[in-house]
Amino acid sequence: MKDVVPSKFAFGIFDHLDEDGRDTARQYADRLVLAEAYDRLGFYAYHVAEHHCTPHGRGPSPNLFLSSLAQRTRQLRLGPLVMLLNLYHPLRAFEEICMLDHLSGGRLEVGIGRGSLPLELGYFGITADAAPSRYQEASEILINAMKGGTLSYHGHHFELNSVPLTLTTHQRPKPPLWIATNRPESAAWAAANGANLACVGPSSAIRTVADAFRAHRGTNGDAGDQTPLVGLLRMIVIARSNSDAYTLAASAYTQWLKSFKFLYELNAIPTPPNLPLTFDAAIESELCVVGTPDAVKQSLLNHLEEAGANYLLCQLAFGNLPLDASLCTATAIQSEIMGGLGQR
């Protein structure tokens, strides 16, 4: 197992920006305070999800939020995870990416995807049947645009004729790419395009994805020389005692779960079969890791090694967790875990 897991790991932040039960402006302000702390503590990157028409995401325009975050931080990398390309014209998406990469001084990490819930796309008139081919075209156009020059493309959904690309990204040849997936078959695209992976689920299941990804990269000459990041997402709460951590996390997960289920219940459709419907189930499925620093450290190390992952995506703010609880967990990860597991 350890032959494919680096001796050092990277630590990043993932955020749904799900509703915390308080004023929206206050929540944005608190997240910016957290981002400043993540920057000081040495986390690698801040990744934010994109959701629409649901309390599961108060950041429907992730690039807008991240442009503010970029001005409050200096070293922390940042990016959408993922930018729902089905809801953008790919040329507009490219121009926003260029702007954000320059505004952040070249700290952008670009996550792209088509969206996990067709209902959200449907509110914008994108049907479930059209979504896969529309996303495929949009991703091709976006990646071609990052090469610079003039852009032409003739597809079913988009047609571009000798478009002059007067903007370029700050990072050359392009910012790091990400996709979020739990499917081994997506590994081939990620490997071919030099993208990093973000995964959520039990470690044993993620190992299958990680192994497929590395196998494809090993046979792909265009994947690039930089070691890719295989990210493992965990919701983490650390406190002085296991019982304190459990109490905080249980309440927060209940609030998070309510937001997650909002559109499913509103439209009377079943929730995903792998969604833990109780906090105890979330712990059992490895989605949530809570407890004292020592207990959490050992659990996370076991998860990373079993999954074959080298990047821990820490979800430290979710549901109704108080700001000070998230700050406490972030500080504990920096002081008690980063050094022990090794920071990249």
Side-chain angles (χ1 to χ4, degrees):
M1 182 176 297
K2 293 184 179 180
D3 58 333
V4 296
V5 179
S7 58
K8 293 185 178 181
F9 302 96
F11 294 79
I13 299 295
F14 175 76
D15 194 359
H16 278 119
L17 252 177
D18 54 294
E19 184 177 308
D20 65 1
R22 298 186 300 163
D23 176 74
T24 303
R26 174 65 182 274
Q27 182 170 356
Y28 291 158
D30 283 354
R31 284 302 204 272
L32 293 175
V33 169
L34 277 173
E36 291 177 325
Y38 301 146
D39 193 35
R40 291 193 305 272
L41 293 169
F43 284 87
Y44 175 74
Y46 182 105
H47 309 266
V48 64
E50 177 179 344
H51 289 288
H52 297 272
C53 307
T54 171
H56 190 51
R58 277 181 161 175
S61 180
N63 291 341
L64 183 61
F65 176 73
L66 291 169
S67 66
S68 181
L69 188 147
Q71 306 311 304
R72 301 282 288 268
T73 56
R74 293 294 174 264
Q75 304 298 324
L76 186 70
R77 299 182 65 81
L78 49 94
L81 192 62
V82 295
M83 192 176 184
L84 302 183
L85 287 189
N86 273 314
L87 301 183
Y88 298 78
H89 189 287
L91 183 58
R92 177 63 179 267
F94 167 71
E95 292 180 332
E96 287 194 14
I97 285 169
C98 290
M99 288 184 65
L100 189 52
D101 199 26
H102 284 286
L103 284 168
S104 65
R107 290 184 280 141
L108 182 61
E109 306 268 325
V110 180
I112 59 173
R114 75 186 193 200
S116 59
L117 183 56
L119 277 170
E120 293 185 39
L121 303 181
Y123 290 135
F124 292 85
I126 308 298
T127 66
D129 289 339
S133 60
R134 183 182 175 91
Y135 170 71
Q136 181 179 353
E137 289 189 13
S139 61
E140 289 176 0
I141 293 169
L142 180 62
I143 290 171
N144 286 336
M146 291 186 187
K147 298 174 183 177
T150 13
L151 181 63
S152 295
Y153 187 91
H154 304 283
H156 177 70
H157 301 282
F158 303 102
E159 181 167 342
L160 301 169
N161 296 295
S162 300
V163 177
L165 299 177
T166 56
L167 278 176
T168 61
T169 56
H170 185 284
Q171 300 173 83
R172 304 303 297 161
K174 64 181 184 293
L177 289 176
W178 288 81
I179 65 167
T181 185
N182 291 333
R183 299 183 299 120
E185 54 267 31
S186 298
W189 186 96
N193 289 278
N196 303 296
L197 292 182
C199 307
V200 60
S203 304
S204 57
I206 301 310
R207 185 56 183 247
T208 304
V209 181
D211 286 348
F213 175 64
R214 291 189 174 98
H216 282 294
R217 277 187 61 93
T219 59
N220 190 295
D222 298 324
D225 296 328
Q226 186 175 2
T227 301
L229 293 177
V230 177
L232 181 66
L233 188 149
R234 292 293 183 257
M235 304 167 87
I236 305 170
V237 176
I238 296 175
R240 288 180 295 180
S241 69
N242 288 328
S243 60
D244 286 349
Y246 185 98
T247 299
L248 281 167
S251 174
Y253 186 79
T254 299
Q255 173 83 14
W256 178 89
L257 184 64
K258 179 181 178 182
S259 295
F260 187 104
K261 293 165 61 178
F262 173 80
L263 283 180
Y264 292 92
E265 293 179 344
L266 183 66
N267 293 274
I269 58 175
T271 56
N274 58 348
L275 175 69
L277 297 178
T278 67
F279 178 59
D280 287 336
I283 292 178
E284 180 67 24
S285 70
E286 301 180 356
L287 175 60
C288 291
V289 180
V290 305
T292 62
D294 286 343
V296 168
K297 176 181 176 179
Q298 189 57 53
S299 293
L300 293 176
L301 177 59
N302 292 341
H303 292 184
L304 287 164
E305 289 189 336
E306 185 175 0
N310 58 2
Y311 186 44
L312 184 64
L313 281 162
C314 307
Q315 190 167 353
L316 307 186
F318 58 93
N320 59 7
L321 267 180
L323 174 62
D324 60 354
S326 297
L327 287 169
C328 177
T329 298
T331 302
I333 289 175
Q334 190 277 332
S335 62
E336 306 292 336
I337 297 177
M338 281 187 183
L341 297 188
Q343 173 69 290
R344 282 171 65 99

